[in-house]
Amino acid sequence: MAFAPMGPEASFFDALDRHRASLLAMVKRGAGETPAGATRVASRFDDSIGLRMIPQCATRKIRSDSPKSVKKFALILKVLSMIYKLIQSDTYATKRDIYYTDSQLFGNQAVVDSAIDDISCMLKVPRRSLHVLSTSKGLIAGNLRYMEEDGTRVQCTCSATATAVPTNIQGMQHLITDAKFLLIVEKDATFQRLLDDNFCSRMSPCIMVTGKGVPDLNTRLLVKKLWDTFHIPVFTLVDADPYGIEIMCIYKYGSMSMSFEAHNLTIPTIRWLGLLPSDIQRLNIPKDSLIPLTKHDQMKLDSILKRPYITYQPLWKKELEMMADSKMKAEIQALTLLSSDYLSRVYLPNKLRFGGWI
């Protein structure tokens, strides 16, 4: 075994073990298999993958003889030439590196990002196959060790200092863990609070990851790699608000902008652990800690309720409708009004022990 368990007694994880057994049965039946991706612009929902491109979708042409697209054509050629050199020399560069090679030409980072996404979609290959990497912003902690591509051995810990998500996820090798579950935490502040409260040690063996809000590509690739490698239950801990739910949906079902690579990024088996709108009522969280939904919140919530995958999640739909009816939202930090360590000592342990996820 890679690590000596320090957490609860074995019976604590009975619900998790049963959940994992059902996930493994699903994978064995082939429900977790993912067909190849398609082309860009139009998307459809596939229950086993998430949002993915449809083969017969609208396309746009970028021409060298058209005044409207000649600049875009030149920019894509410029980026393509740099990608060619990277592949030929078997080296890697970040999107930021590419931008700074000619910042006056590109103008801003978004231009480079868009060109790389267009090239990736056009060639039907993941971005990492172009030898273009993103700078990681995510963090990981807990029961995991691995080797990076250059031979560096990394051992994640449950201490207050987390490990940065690697830049080259594809280069991670020899991953080892005894973790019973993986917890995705929406916000860095909540992630750090859980580490400070020794949640990771007390719930050992487990793994925690945060994308610090909307996850970057590397954080999503890491979570997908951990699922593909270990097939352990994956849970999300997000605010009970439309934008927290949106972030959870990105991990589970993907995003429109990256739907051409959905089969490499999404984990439809993810479960919503908290904070549920129903928990707000069940725990009698003080009303003065709740926040009224803004106009933008209501628009986002309406948008999520109309998405095709919500049809496959009746329990999610019920929670979203509860939020819409109450016209209130709550941050995870609202639990501290019950007690300063309620989240780490009561809420999450009870949820995990008794199967309080949907």
Side-chain angles (χ1 to χ4, degrees):
M1 294 184 58
F3 301 88
M6 298 165 48
E9 58 186 26
S11 61
F12 178 92
F13 294 112
D14 285 350
L16 283 167
D17 290 340
R18 288 194 297 271
H19 180 46
R20 188 186 184 204
S22 68
L23 293 176
L24 291 173
M26 181 199 69
V27 171
K28 190 174 181 180
R29 290 195 305 269
E33 293 178 3
T34 56
T39 49
R40 202 176 180 190
V41 179
S43 302
R44 72 178 178 202
F45 172 67
D46 184 323
D47 189 37
S48 66
I49 301 172
L51 292 173
R52 61 178 302 223
M53 290 296 164
I54 59 174
Q56 296 80 28
C57 65
T59 59
R60 56 192 171 90
K61 294 182 179 180
I62 300 172
R63 301 165 57 96
S64 61
D65 58 353
S66 168
K68 291 183 178 180
S69 64
V70 64
K71 184 176 180 180
K72 180 78 172 180
F73 184 88
L75 289 171
I76 287 180
L77 279 185
K78 171 70 173 178
V79 176
L80 273 171
S81 69
M82 299 179 70
I83 288 170
Y84 177 77
K85 291 176 183 176
L86 290 171
I87 295 172
Q88 285 290 93
S89 60
D90 195 24
T91 55
Y92 292 82
T94 66
K95 293 188 295 181
R96 200 67 177 162
D97 293 334
I98 292 176
Y99 167 70
Y100 278 118
T101 59
D102 200 332
S103 57
Q104 288 189 333
L105 172 66
F106 295 122
N108 60 68
Q109 183 67 55
V111 172
V112 175
D113 297 350
S114 176
I116 291 169
D117 286 344
D118 284 341
I119 291 168
S120 179
C121 184
M122 178 177 65
L123 298 179
K124 299 181 182 178
V125 297
R127 187 193 299 169
R128 57 195 172 279
S129 296
L130 304 176
H131 284 227
V132 178
L133 306 174
S134 299
T135 303
S136 298
K137 66 170 183 171
L139 298 172
I140 183 168
N143 190 293
L144 178 69
R145 65 186 184 192
Y146 58 90
M147 182 185 294
E148 294 187 339
E149 191 175 32
D150 62 1
T152 302
R153 296 182 182 275
V154 178
Q155 180 157 336
C156 302
T157 67
C158 297
S159 67
T161 304
T163 302
V165 169
T167 301
N168 187 359
I169 302 300
Q170 191 177 27
M172 294 174 69
Q173 306 170 38
H174 310 306
L175 286 80
I176 301 173
T177 188
D178 295 321
K180 290 285 189 178
F181 65 93
L182 166 61
L183 179 64
I184 301 170
V185 183
E186 175 194 351
K187 297 190 296 190
D188 184 37
T190 305
F191 181 85
Q192 294 297 337
R193 180 58 190 265
L194 290 173
L195 289 179
D196 291 342
D197 286 351
N198 292 318
F199 170 81
C200 204
S201 296
R202 287 188 287 105
M203 289 294 103
S204 177
C206 69
I207 300 171
M208 291 202 316
V209 171
T210 181
K212 298 183 179 181
V214 178
D216 59 287
L217 180 64
N218 288 331
T219 302
R220 292 176 64 189
L221 285 168
L222 172 66
V223 173
K224 173 67 170 176
K225 189 178 186 77
L226 292 174
W227 161 249
D228 286 344
T229 305
F230 302 115
H231 290 133
I232 56 175
V234 183
F235 302 110
T236 55
L237 177 64
V238 300
D239 287 337
D241 68 23
Y243 288 91
I245 294 164
E246 175 79 286
I247 287 169
M248 175 173 62
C249 291
I250 290 173
Y251 283 107
K252 185 175 176 75
Y253 294 121
S255 60
M256 291 287 286
S257 62
M258 293 297 292
S259 55
F260 65 93
E261 203 181 339
H263 54 292
N264 291 322
L265 295 171
T266 58
I267 310 169
T269 56
I270 282 176
R271 296 293 181 263
W272 185 3
L273 189 64
L275 180 66
L276 303 180
S278 59
D279 290 336
I280 298 171
Q281 298 179 12
R282 180 176 61 85
L283 299 172
N284 292 318
I285 294 176
K287 290 186 177 180
D288 58 3
S289 68
L290 305 183
I291 306 168
L293 292 176
T294 66
K295 184 178 179 180
H296 289 295
D297 288 332
Q298 291 174 341
M299 290 173 61
K300 174 63 71 175
L301 186 56
D302 290 343
S303 168
I304 295 172
L305 279 165
K306 293 175 183 176
R307 294 178 189 176
Y309 47 72
I310 295 300
T311 305
Y312 292 80
Q313 297 290 341
L315 295 179
W316 283 31
K317 185 176 181 180
K318 184 178 179 181
E319 295 287 338
L320 295 175
E321 289 173 342
M322 189 179 299
M323 185 188 300
D325 291 340
S326 70
K327 293 182 169 54
M328 302 296 283
K329 61 183 179 180
E331 296 183 338
I332 297 167
Q333 284 74 12
L335 293 175
T336 59
L337 295 176
L338 302 178
S339 73
S340 61
D341 57 358
Y342 190 86
L343 175 66
S344 61
R345 288 191 177 272
V346 181
Y347 181 79
L348 289 176
N350 284 343
K351 284 267 188 172
L352 292 165
R353 181 168 191 171
F354 300 110
W357 53 78
I358 60 175

